[in-house]
Amino acid sequence: MVADALVYHPTVAHYLRFVATTVGRDKLLRTLQYFARFYSWYLFRTNALTTSIAPWESLKKSFSVIRRGMRVGKNVEHFKAAAVAADAKGMDPVLKYCAVGRQLGYAMYLSLDVGVFLDQTGIRPMASAKRLQKEAYRAWMTGLIFNAVAGFYSLWRLGQREEKINKKEGEGVVEGKKLERERNAARMQLTSDLCDLVIPLSAIGFVNFDEGIVGLAGTTSSLIGLLAQWRKTA
């Protein structure tokens, strides 16, 4: 039967594994949130009716609150990851410091974000909510900068390793393909980080990007993260 073919299709099983993960659900919601941010800006710029813009504005705000709620408590994970990275033996010093900086930046961002969530939901209104949000963006920006530095450094190291490979030999060909996969993964992560950097830089006021650029940047990084999580759950 057609129904059985659909229900037991491998793609359906893959989708269920994907949405069963918190990361998978978050990436999906994040993609929709930032696309709504872009599309509501696009509708506004094209003089669309307010009634056409309102649903997208509502979707953007609602998903922002939902995702903040899903992140509550996740700061502990990053504090632990920072401690693990700091204690790592034999790790490249540059990557080690970048890992610690990234994890501490994310941990502070998520810690401050809890206050923003409490204010946003009305659980505990705070007069300092706007300041907390700005500081949260600064912490996120710091974590992203550390991750971007690690990305550039990793690409440089991969280039150095590739120069030492003899691609005329069998082992060299295999190693070359392995390095290419690592390079592609590093490039994708770096692209995601650079796109994400647009968001806090704009929110803090370091750059003057409009909602369209911020929305597109967020959508791009979200799709990269969504694709990566989709592959992990294959």
Side-chain angles (χ1 to χ4, degrees), residues 32-217:
L32 295 173
Q33 175 193 342
Y34 279 99
F35 177 76
R37 186 168 182 172
F38 162 75
Y39 196 58
S40 59
W41 169 86
Y42 171 78
L43 291 174
F44 176 77
R45 289 295 298 269
T46 54
N47 298 315
L49 295 174
T50 305
T51 51
S52 298
I53 301 173
W56 294 98
E57 283 287 336
S58 178
L59 188 151
K60 176 185 72 175
K61 293 175 182 177
S62 297
F63 281 8
S64 173
V65 175
I66 291 169
R67 291 185 58 243
R68 276 202 169 95
M70 291 171 63
R71 294 197 298 262
V72 171
K74 202 171 186 296
N75 56 335
V76 178
E77 175 186 331
H78 290 283
F79 277 124
K80 180 182 178 180
V84 171
D87 292 336
K89 307 296 182 183
M91 189 176 181
D92 184 285
V94 175
L95 294 178
K96 180 176 181 177
Y97 293 136
C98 284
V100 173
R102 177 182 74 247
Q103 296 297 347
L104 288 176
Y106 291 168
M108 288 304 300
Y109 162 60
L110 293 169
S111 298
L112 293 166
D113 204 46
V114 173
V116 179
F117 171 72
L118 294 174
D119 176 80
Q120 199 173 31
T121 54
I123 296 173
R124 184 169 181 179
M126 298 180 185
S128 59
K130 287 186 177 180
R131 182 176 62 82
L132 279 176
Q133 187 164 43
K134 196 168 185 178
E135 292 305 317
Y137 277 126
R138 287 182 189 276
W140 184 25
M141 179 188 69
T142 301
L144 288 170
I145 289 173
F146 273 112
N147 213 31
V149 170
F152 282 117
Y153 179 72
S154 295
L155 288 172
W156 175 77
R157 284 186 69 199
L158 288 170
Q160 295 291 306
R161 286 170 57 189
E162 188 174 31
E163 290 178 0
K164 299 176 182 178
I165 294 175
N166 184 358
K167 294 186 177 180
K168 293 181 180 179
E169 296 180 355
E171 290 184 5
V173 173
V174 173
E175 184 66 18
K177 290 181 179 179
K178 179 183 176 183
L179 289 178
E180 187 60 31
R181 288 194 297 271
E182 291 181 20
R183 182 183 289 108
N184 289 337
R187 283 173 178 167
M188 287 288 281
Q189 184 58 54
L190 181 58
T191 300
S192 177
D193 291 333
L194 294 177
C195 286
D196 274 341
L197 264 173
V198 170
I199 302 166
L201 286 173
S202 179
I204 295 169
F206 287 165
V207 293
N208 188 27
F209 291 137
D210 58 35
E211 285 289 285
I213 293 176
V214 174
L216 277 178

